[in-house]
Each structure stands twice: as structure tokens, then as C-alpha cells.
Amino acid sequence: MAYKITSQCISCNLCDSVCPTGAIKVEGTRHWIDPELCTNCVGSIYTVPQCKAGCPTCDGCIKETNDYWESWFAKYNCVIRKLTKKQDYWERWFDCYSKKFSEQMQKHQGEILGV
Ligand code: SF4
Ligand code: SF4
């Protein structure tokens, strides 16, 4: 997830009405961004994140996470999803990689132990 809503939110609901993916969630007066739904607006008709652009607190409460790699990966993942048209690209890649890695480890251990 690249963006999060901080405690400076004034609960105006504007972000909820402009988000193209329905990622803004509201619990009581608390607003938060569902990382499973937020695409950072990548792949939509917009060129900037709509929640951040429209927020009336003037850059006050929708912030990019401080974690550079988390933010980088979220954007990269969105692009990969769009290019491959597969929502679970990384899960499948990781499953395949883990399986192959495990097979190689077992083979290597077998060679060391002579079995
Ligand atoms: S960045 Fe875009 S997709 Fe993500 S919560 Fe904001 S408006 Fe929605
Ligand atoms: S637009 Fe900004 S102030 Fe309004 S609900 Fe969303 S995060 Fe809060």
C-alpha cells in the first residue's frame, strides 16, 4: 500500500466518492485505505491518486508510507498485474519459486548425505 490516511482526516468523505476502486473504507468516522483494493490509481484514467488530489486538508492526511520499498513494490505490483492481466501473479511466482527451491534443497541434501 502506498497511501494511508492519518489522524488529521476531517471525515469529509470526498476521497470515498472519488476513489475509482472503492478502496476507501469507513468505520464510524475513521477512514482507511484497503491495501487489497488500492491500486494507487495506476491503470485508471487518472494520472494522480484521486484521494490525495481531492483531500481538502491540503496534503494533510493522505500520506505515502515512509517505507520506500513497500511503496515501490506496490506500484510495481500494480503495473505487473496490468501487464500480465493476472491478479495473483506474485503469489503464483512465489509458489513456483518455493517449490523449485525446496526440490533443489532436498536434492542437495541428498547428495551431501549420499542418499
Ligand atoms: S490512491 Fe487511488 S485507488 Fe488508492 S485509495 Fe486513493 S483514490 Fe483509491
Ligand atoms: S478526503 Fe481527506 S479529509 Fe476527507 S475523508 Fe478523505 S482523507 Fe479524510
Side-chain angles (χ1 to χ4, degrees), residues 5 9-16 31 51 54-57 61-62:
I5 297 175
C9 172
I10 58 172
S11 303
C12 71
N13 283 331
L14 197 140
C15 55
D16 192 20
H31 289 63
C51 56
C55 181
T57 63
C61 67
I62 298 181

Side-chain angles (χ1 to χ4, degrees), residues 72-87:
W72 180 90
F73 186 75
K75 285 178 186 163
Y76 184 70
N77 202 15
C78 286
V79 174
I80 287 289
R81 278 183 191 161
K82 192 177 172 205
L83 287 173
T84 62
K85 301 192 188 330
K86 289 179 181 152
Q87 293 298 311

Side-chain angles (χ1 to χ4, degrees), residues 50-103:
Q50 290 302 286
C51 56
K52 188 173 171 65
C55 181
T57 63
C58 298
D59 204 25
C61 67
I62 298 181
K63 300 283 189 189
E64 276 193 90
T65 62
N66 292 330
D67 187 324
Y68 172 84
W69 287 112
E70 184 185 338
S71 177
W72 180 90
F73 186 75
K75 285 178 186 163
Y76 184 70
N77 202 15
C78 286
V79 174
I80 287 289
R81 278 183 191 161
K82 192 177 172 205
L83 287 173
T84 62
K85 301 192 188 330
K86 289 179 181 152
Q87 293 298 311
D88 58 348
Y89 178 85
W90 285 115
E91 287 83 355
R92 288 159 60 119
W93 179 89
F94 188 76
D95 285 349
C96 182
Y97 177 82
S98 325
K99 190 173 162 212
K100 294 283 179 200
F101 184 75
S102 176
E103 287 170 1

Side-chain angles (χ1 to χ4, degrees), residues 11-28:
S11 303
C12 71
N13 283 331
L14 197 140
C15 55
D16 192 20
S17 65
V18 296
C19 175
T21 64
I24 307 289
K25 300 297 175 192
V26 186
E27 286 171 5

Side-chain angles (χ1 to χ4, degrees), residues 41-58:
C41 289
V42 173
S44 70
I45 59 171
Y46 306 111
T47 54
V48 295
Q50 290 302 286
C51 56
K52 188 173 171 65
C55 181
T57 63
C58 298

